[in-house]
Amino acid sequence: MGVLSTIHDHLNELAIEPVFEQLSGIFDLNGRFGVLFLGVSYAVAYGLFRCRRQRGLTDARSFWQFIGGSRVNFHRSALLDYRYYFVRAILKVALVLPIVGLVDPHILRAADYMALFSNLWGARPQLGQNLSLSLLYGLGVFLLSDFTHYWTHRAFHCRWLWAFHKVHHSAPVLVPVTASRVHFVEKIVGKLASAICLGAYAGAFWYACGGEISRYTLFGVTYLVFICSALAANLRHSHVWLSFGPLIEHVLNSPAQHQIHHSDAPRHFHKNFGTNLSLWDWMFGTLYVTRSKPEAISFGTAEQDAHRYLTLYGLIVTPFVDTARQLFPAKRAQAVAPESTETSYS
């Protein structure tokens, strides 16, 4: 009984609880995939459908067809995304959090930075908690988080990390939950990068204020993230074209801009790395703005290897296989050489 009880406890901790938490997150007001933000996004999509239908700008006969219908929402890739959404919760508990936890003690946290500055320059007078400081602190967290994600995202488009990020780009159709089609290696790197940058920022801000400052939040989400998520953020991973226009898209990232990022057309490669803000793309030369008229685009990577990303095994293991082939090309060539030699003599 003791062994069975231990197995049950581990199974509950590593699988049942994470999956249940992921499922309950749909009803969490501060979750991106929560009913609040999904409802807002699809309400905007419905408004677009009615407007375009009245103007004769869409061939869709129903709203279901307008958002992709069964062709998109029940596509093999979309069904894989639904399954991976829950598997990712298990990977998070089993791999991501333990690995980040191993590295985390070696990264200076906000309190450590604050203590360091206090030892160097002495303690600062306590300014106290107030709304202005909370809003300012929240603004800084938002900007730095978005900036960090921009460069992390851009780094994963390089040769040596692309195999892991390709998992996200491998989806030939986009549904909101495709946003969670992210390899756990990329999640680990992203969490560590955020911990380093936000820890330094928070420590410096708290030292300047003489103590810890809380962020102003709405339903537990930083207010600016809440605002951006409410701007139909879930339509970024969809087939519903929503452009903010060239002017606004120099600052805010629209759903259409992120769909351009997923495009398999060469003219769209390495564009629009931003998450909430396209300001960084504008500053660093990767901006691609859109207009109200939808562009004809298709999603995915390349037809010759699309089949490799249609299973959970493909999403999780394939990046390691491809990276190993990059790191050890000589061994691979030696393995092929005898067969090549035999062929040349025949």
PDB file of all heavy atoms in Angstrom, residues 3 13 38 52 72 86 149 169 178 198 251-252:
ATOM      1  N   VAL A   3       3.821   1.693  -1.378  1.00  0.00           N
ATOM      2  CA  VAL A   3       4.349   1.949  -2.729  1.00  0.00           C
ATOM      3  C   VAL A   3       3.260   2.526  -3.622  1.00  0.00           C
ATOM      4  O   VAL A   3       3.476   3.490  -4.366  1.00  0.00           O
ATOM      5  CB  VAL A   3       4.912   0.645  -3.343  1.00  0.00           C
ATOM      6  CG1 VAL A   3       5.341   0.893  -4.791  1.00  0.00           C
ATOM      7  CG2 VAL A   3       6.076   0.128  -2.514  1.00  0.00           C
ATOM      8  N   GLU A  13       0.743  14.692  -8.417  1.00  0.00           N
ATOM      9  CA  GLU A  13       1.548  15.920  -8.435  1.00  0.00           C
ATOM     10  C   GLU A  13       2.041  16.271  -9.827  1.00  0.00           C
ATOM     11  O   GLU A  13       2.063  17.438 -10.215  1.00  0.00           O
ATOM     12  CB  GLU A  13       2.738  15.752  -7.490  1.00  0.00           C
ATOM     13  CG  GLU A  13       3.644  16.978  -7.411  1.00  0.00           C
ATOM     14  CD  GLU A  13       4.852  16.742  -6.523  1.00  0.00           C
ATOM     15  OE1 GLU A  13       4.928  15.678  -5.871  1.00  0.00           O
ATOM     16  OE2 GLU A  13       5.738  17.622  -6.487  1.00  0.00           O
ATOM     17  N   LEU A  38     -11.057  35.478 -24.156  1.00  0.00           N
ATOM     18  CA  LEU A  38     -11.556  34.762 -25.335  1.00  0.00           C
ATOM     19  C   LEU A  38     -12.874  35.375 -25.799  1.00  0.00           C
ATOM     20  O   LEU A  38     -13.098  35.566 -27.002  1.00  0.00           O
ATOM     21  CB  LEU A  38     -11.765  33.283 -25.009  1.00  0.00           C
ATOM     22  CG  LEU A  38     -10.523  32.395 -25.000  1.00  0.00           C
ATOM     23  CD1 LEU A  38     -10.861  31.014 -24.464  1.00  0.00           C
ATOM     24  CD2 LEU A  38      -9.920  32.286 -26.403  1.00  0.00           C
ATOM     25  N   ARG A  52     -17.955  43.361 -42.318  1.00  0.00           N
ATOM     26  CA  ARG A  52     -17.453  42.956 -43.625  1.00  0.00           C
ATOM     27  C   ARG A  52     -18.537  42.290 -44.473  1.00  0.00           C
ATOM     28  O   ARG A  52     -18.528  42.403 -45.695  1.00  0.00           O
ATOM     29  CB  ARG A  52     -16.251  42.013 -43.453  1.00  0.00           C
ATOM     30  CG  ARG A  52     -15.020  42.745 -42.938  1.00  0.00           C
ATOM     31  CD  ARG A  52     -13.866  41.822 -42.619  1.00  0.00           C
ATOM     32  NE  ARG A  52     -12.765  42.574 -42.037  1.00  0.00           N
ATOM     33  CZ  ARG A  52     -11.692  42.027 -41.486  1.00  0.00           C
ATOM     34  NH1 ARG A  52     -11.573  40.704 -41.438  1.00  0.00           N
ATOM     35  NH2 ARG A  52     -10.745  42.785 -40.980  1.00  0.00           N
ATOM     36  N   VAL A  72     -10.429  24.781 -39.938  1.00  0.00           N
ATOM     37  CA  VAL A  72      -9.360  25.311 -39.093  1.00  0.00           C
ATOM     38  C   VAL A  72      -9.443  24.763 -37.674  1.00  0.00           C
ATOM     39  O   VAL A  72      -8.485  24.214 -37.136  1.00  0.00           O
ATOM     40  CB  VAL A  72      -9.407  26.856 -39.068  1.00  0.00           C
ATOM     41  CG1 VAL A  72      -8.490  27.415 -37.985  1.00  0.00           C
ATOM     42  CG2 VAL A  72      -9.025  27.418 -40.429  1.00  0.00           C
ATOM     43  N   PHE A  86      -2.519  20.723 -22.647  1.00  0.00           N
ATOM     44  CA  PHE A  86      -2.530  20.011 -21.371  1.00  0.00           C
ATOM     45  C   PHE A  86      -1.201  19.307 -21.098  1.00  0.00           C
ATOM     46  O   PHE A  86      -0.742  19.260 -19.956  1.00  0.00           O
ATOM     47  CB  PHE A  86      -3.681  19.003 -21.342  1.00  0.00           C
ATOM     48  CG  PHE A  86      -5.039  19.646 -21.362  1.00  0.00           C
ATOM     49  CD1 PHE A  86      -5.799  19.665 -22.516  1.00  0.00           C
ATOM     50  CD2 PHE A  86      -5.544  20.262 -20.226  1.00  0.00           C
ATOM     51  CE1 PHE A  86      -7.044  20.277 -22.539  1.00  0.00           C
ATOM     52  CE2 PHE A  86      -6.780  20.873 -20.235  1.00  0.00           C
ATOM     53  CZ  PHE A  86      -7.533  20.882 -21.391  1.00  0.00           C
ATOM     54  N   HIS A 149      11.178  39.834 -24.054  1.00  0.00           N
ATOM     55  CA  HIS A 149      10.562  38.811 -24.902  1.00  0.00           C
ATOM     56  C   HIS A 149      10.900  39.049 -26.370  1.00  0.00           C
ATOM     57  O   HIS A 149      11.112  38.091 -27.130  1.00  0.00           O
ATOM     58  CB  HIS A 149       9.048  38.790 -24.725  1.00  0.00           C
ATOM     59  CG  HIS A 149       8.381  37.667 -25.456  1.00  0.00           C
ATOM     60  ND1 HIS A 149       7.948  37.791 -26.763  1.00  0.00           N
ATOM     61  CD2 HIS A 149       8.110  36.380 -25.100  1.00  0.00           C
ATOM     62  CE1 HIS A 149       7.434  36.648 -27.174  1.00  0.00           C
ATOM     63  NE2 HIS A 149       7.516  35.782 -26.187  1.00  0.00           N
ATOM     64  N   HIS A 169       6.095  27.609 -34.989  1.00  0.00           N
ATOM     65  CA  HIS A 169       5.804  28.014 -36.369  1.00  0.00           C
ATOM     66  C   HIS A 169       5.318  26.858 -37.238  1.00  0.00           C
ATOM     67  O   HIS A 169       4.911  27.090 -38.372  1.00  0.00           O
ATOM     68  CB  HIS A 169       7.048  28.636 -37.005  1.00  0.00           C
ATOM     69  CG  HIS A 169       7.269  30.063 -36.627  1.00  0.00           C
ATOM     70  ND1 HIS A 169       6.817  31.129 -37.365  1.00  0.00           N
ATOM     71  CD2 HIS A 169       7.885  30.605 -35.547  1.00  0.00           C
ATOM     72  CE1 HIS A 169       7.147  32.261 -36.784  1.00  0.00           C
ATOM     73  NE2 HIS A 169       7.808  31.978 -35.671  1.00  0.00           N
ATOM     74  N   THR A 178      -2.903  27.849 -30.033  1.00  0.00           N
ATOM     75  CA  THR A 178      -1.604  27.677 -30.693  1.00  0.00           C
ATOM     76  C   THR A 178      -0.535  28.507 -29.985  1.00  0.00           C
ATOM     77  O   THR A 178       0.656  28.194 -30.072  1.00  0.00           O
ATOM     78  CB  THR A 178      -1.689  28.081 -32.179  1.00  0.00           C
ATOM     79  OG1 THR A 178      -2.721  27.328 -32.824  1.00  0.00           O
ATOM     80  CG2 THR A 178      -0.378  27.818 -32.910  1.00  0.00           C
ATOM     81  N   LEU A 198      14.003  41.339 -14.917  1.00  0.00           N
ATOM     82  CA  LEU A 198      13.010  41.908 -14.000  1.00  0.00           C
ATOM     83  C   LEU A 198      13.539  41.976 -12.570  1.00  0.00           C
ATOM     84  O   LEU A 198      13.187  42.885 -11.816  1.00  0.00           O
ATOM     85  CB  LEU A 198      11.714  41.098 -14.052  1.00  0.00           C
ATOM     86  CG  LEU A 198      10.942  41.189 -15.361  1.00  0.00           C
ATOM     87  CD1 LEU A 198       9.686  40.328 -15.302  1.00  0.00           C
ATOM     88  CD2 LEU A 198      10.569  42.628 -15.676  1.00  0.00           C
ATOM     89  N   VAL A 251       3.464  51.096 -32.868  1.00  0.00           N
ATOM     90  CA  VAL A 251       3.569  51.028 -31.403  1.00  0.00           C
ATOM     91  C   VAL A 251       2.935  49.753 -30.854  1.00  0.00           C
ATOM     92  O   VAL A 251       3.547  49.033 -30.069  1.00  0.00           O
ATOM     93  CB  VAL A 251       2.915  52.260 -30.751  1.00  0.00           C
ATOM     94  CG1 VAL A 251       3.024  52.183 -29.228  1.00  0.00           C
ATOM     95  CG2 VAL A 251       3.562  53.541 -31.264  1.00  0.00           C
ATOM     96  N   LEU A 252       1.699  49.469 -31.274  1.00  0.00           N
ATOM     97  CA  LEU A 252       0.967  48.304 -30.757  1.00  0.00           C
ATOM     98  C   LEU A 252       0.955  47.180 -31.794  1.00  0.00           C
ATOM     99  O   LEU A 252       0.758  47.434 -32.990  1.00  0.00           O
ATOM    100  CB  LEU A 252      -0.474  48.682 -30.408  1.00  0.00           C
ATOM    101  CG  LEU A 252      -0.670  49.609 -29.208  1.00  0.00           C
ATOM    102  CD1 LEU A 252      -2.149  49.937 -29.043  1.00  0.00           C
ATOM    103  CD2 LEU A 252      -0.131  48.980 -27.934  1.00  0.00           C
TER     104      LEU A 252
END
